Amino acid sequence: MGEFELIRNFFAAAPCAQGGEGVALGIGDDCALLDVPFGEQLAISTDTLVAGVHFADPCDPFLLGQRSLAVAASDLAAMGATPVAFTLALTLPTFDAEWLQTYARGLNLMAQTCGLRLIGGDTTRGPLCLTLTVFGRVPTGHALTRSGARPGDLLCVGGELGNAAGALPLVLGQRTAASMIGEPLLAHYWSPQPQLALGQALRGKATSALDISDGLLADCGHIAAASKVGLAIELDRVPVSLALEEFLGEAGAQQAALSGGDDYVLAFTLPEVEVPTLLADGWPIHVIGRVVEGQGVTLLDDEGLDITPAVHGYQHFRA
Amino acid sequence: MGEFELIRNFFAAAPCAQGGEGVALGIGDDCALLDVPFGEQLAISTDTLVAGVHFADPCDPFLLGQRSLAVAASDLAAMGATPVAFTLALTLPTFDAEWLQTYARGLNLMAQTCGLRLIGGDTTRGPLCLTLTVFGRVPTGHALTRSGARPGDLLCVGGELGNAAGALPLVLGQRTAASMIGEPLLAHYWSPQPQLALGQALRGKATSALDISDGLLADCGHIAAASKVGLAIELDRVPVSLALEEFLGEAGAQQAALSGGDDYVLAFTLPEVEVPTLLADGWPIHVIGRVVEGQGVTLLDDEGLDITPAVHGYQHFRA
């Protein structure tokens, strides 16, 4: 069986893999072809997951399938894009039909949840590694970027933070937890829900946005740098789950929420006047701070004192 | 230095990395944004190169930079697409500034040659592996696919075949050759020239096309299958270079041309009436056979006898 058949057979259940809205040509030719409606732009993001670095090896291929696509789709959410399609570059040490089938089931489930169609990719032999490239549509000029935050805007996040970081010791088998605590944390880690609908709802409202993947402080630093502003975060307003507080204690939960990675929750800035409508519409947004003149991210305690830690976030390489 | 800075610094010399024709937003946000003009579609292809599988490890990072992009861009040529942009997912075992700089120089040179702009990607730690996704524009409905070959069409290739396969023993250090022979073969291997202009010239003329990456016979099999036709190839008409014949002998050169991979030369079908104009315009096309009723690829000797070998081409996995 060649790599063409391999991809086709195991991923054939993907929603509309052979064509669908915006997909003019799917898997099987030298290129896929996308239609982009007049007045819209194509948003593109690429994410790589490496075994032993981004996920434990071995791990459950179904969960990996879900997670690998969710992580990539979250970048579309951060731009306010409507999901269209994705490609999958899969490097595998051996041909393992059961592994592929199970991975494809997880991937297809997340593809369906997100409204993403598999349109192509590559299958190669080598150390386990996955690169997914996702495509979305966004009205021209209305994508949410990192660079538009203005002093006076509020800083918000789209949900509780730190759950995935809290789950890490469970994923790695370093700790155990009662299922009431462990299950919701593990669900956040293995099956993050890209906030695609929230991203689209923020078009024309948010002045900047991104998805938190490297930790709140580090990622807010990207907004501050791109927008040439400062961000002041009030520690007490950073939302954490009860499960996380149970598991790590209050200080540990705060630490996970500030610097743990893998949240895939949106962080965004917007004028104060937009907040009541979004809350009234039921969006799960939490105001955690404010955009200020200056630069960088400042963390404040409940008395307004600066308690910014020295180093935040996870980086793959340090020079 | 974070991964953002890393990508920016080493690939900053890429032509128009921060925007250009069709690129509304380049590196540095959650997604890149592409404009697709009304009446055009976006062509997308993804290729992965794994160290030790697709290239020797270690190898010259400059040559790898050239080759990694050329291989991907060749798929745009095969669709008749005009190159626009690409993303790079780079997995590296260690942060090696010199390696990155040299790789980026090779990549940027090929990007300039092809007219491709780097718009994003991911940098991760792990076994050396590269995934490039390329984007091109093509007038809606005019992409060259594999599925339109009709009995009576001629089968052509865009140049000499087998040079890259011939170079492999040189690349792997298994053989040596005089520079008159070795240099042209190695140039084909390390710096294949995607036939982008030829692909665009074939729009509206070719009934099917692809780029030969897995060997002439194997790839022609893809056209035959997608078009539901047979292809008859005359062995004597398959073009090989003098250097390859010198190096491998006539039979060896033919074998490399038929079943060696990595040519990245176009194979395509078209009505006989189109050939004289293309030749008069100076396109380096060679008629090597004909589309026939039936299925699969048949290889004919100079007396028209069937000499088709049993197995062709390279596959990463066999089931």
Side-chain angles (χ1 to χ4, degrees), chain A residues 77-93:
Chain A
M79 298 296 278
T82 305
V84 174
F86 70 104
T87 60
L88 169 67
L90 189 55
T91 303
L92 290 173

Side-chain angles (χ1 to χ4, degrees), chain A residues 118-193:
Chain A
L118 181 65
I119 56 166
D122 199 0
T123 313
T124 50
R125 185 167 50 81
L128 181 57
C129 178
L130 312 134
T131 294
L132 289 94
T133 303
V134 292
F135 306 97
R137 295 179 292 115
V138 65
T140 300
H142 286 78
L144 308 174
T145 67
R146 300 174 173 191
S147 57
R150 294 166 303 198
D153 287 347
L154 296 183
L155 173 65
C156 301
V157 292
E160 293 159 345
L161 302 180
N163 287 330
L168 210 56
L170 300 173
V171 171
L172 300 175
Q174 296 163 344
R175 283 186 64 179
T176 56
S179 64
M180 264 182 66
I181 291 171
E183 277 172 13
L185 299 183
L186 285 168
H188 274 267
Y189 181 86
W190 280 118
S191 183
Q193 299 298 312

